[in-house]
Amino acid sequence: MAAIAGACRAEARRFVDYVESNGSQYIDLGIPAKSGLRITTRMSWTATGDSTYIGAQKNRSTKIGPVVLKTSQWALGYGGNTVFLSDVSPTAGQVYDLISVLSNGTQTLTVDGGIVLSQNEQTAYVTDINLYLFAQNHYTELYQYSKARCYSLKIETNSVDGAWILARDLHPIASAAGGALYDFVTGET
């Protein structure tokens, strides 16, 4: 249950293929979980089962889960105690390119160019807590840790005029802690 962290100087960073969680680590992405997010990631599960790749839940009525596995199927968590299930199951070890859109009126999960899940919940949600990678951030506790690899991750937020704004552009690097994500937007790990 340790945070994957890696403070390293910019001149010392070394990019690697992926950062991996064995089911007991997480990364605080520093982005509040709310409606109006588009997540683009290249990832793979190293084991399947109920787990969260990216997510946060304030309480039973406010959940944002852009990439979730439920009963070993692709799923989205959005709004209340609702998890939208697809009829498609991922395979452990296979690398996937995902786009998850969670906006008021549109929630979709696209896997390798094909939409596997599409919903139209009409309510906007704000959790006031940050999204976590490799676990569900639930205020005072973490759960649904995932066993997965992250090869790249972009997070975009929706502006007032509806345009997407790049908030994070994360790429794996080696660090003294073993692994971290370098953000090309902020210049930080």
Side-chain angles (χ1 to χ4, degrees):
M1 295 189 221
I4 298 174
C8 65
R9 297 185 325 230
E11 66 272 9
R13 70 177 174 262
R14 181 174 59 88
F15 290 94
V16 295
D17 291 336
Y18 57 84
V19 62
E20 181 173 351
S21 171
N22 65 13
S24 63
Q25 300 95 3
Y26 67 93
I27 296 174
D28 182 337
L29 296 172
I31 298 290
K34 62 182 183 62
S35 300
L37 294 172
R38 181 166 59 187
I39 310 289
T40 304
T41 188
R42 172 168 277 199
M43 61 84 63
S44 66
W45 301 101
T46 57
T48 58
D50 287 4
S51 60
T52 299
Y53 180 68
I54 300 173
Q57 183 172 349
K58 180 177 181 177
N59 52 42
R60 288 210 169 273
S61 63
T62 312
K63 175 188 295 187
I64 299 290
V67 183
V68 177
L69 279 184
K70 187 73 172 171
T71 62
S72 296
Q73 296 169 292
W74 292 110
L76 291 173
Y78 186 78
N81 199 26
T82 304
V83 175
F84 301 112
L85 291 175
S86 76
D87 58 359
V88 179
S89 297
T91 302
Q94 182 173 335
V95 177
Y96 295 98
D97 290 310
L98 308 177
I99 300 172
S100 179
V101 176
L102 296 177
S103 293
N104 180 10
T106 304
Q107 302 87 44
T108 59
L109 179 62
T110 303
V111 178
D112 292 336
I115 295 175
V116 298
L117 194 53
S118 180
Q119 299 293 323
N120 61 354
E121 169 71 40
Q122 297 296 315
T123 306
Y125 295 96
V126 177
T127 67
D128 300 322
I129 59 174
N130 287 344
L131 287 168
Y132 280 8
L133 178 65
F134 301 134
Q136 178 89 281
N137 178 7
H138 192 278
Y139 259 65
T140 59
E141 64 181 298
L142 300 172
Y143 64 96
Q144 290 187 332
Y145 285 91
S146 61
K147 295 180 180 180
R149 293 177 175 171
C150 175
Y151 298 84
S152 64
L153 174 62
K154 289 184 182 182
I155 302 173
E156 296 168 283
T157 59
N158 201 326
S159 69
V160 175
D161 66 2
W164 291 107
I165 299 169
L166 185 62
R168 295 286 183 271
D169 185 4
L170 301 164
H171 296 270
I173 60 170
S175 74
L181 292 171
Y182 178 78
D183 184 6
F184 280 97
V185 174
T186 65
E188 299 174 354
T189 56

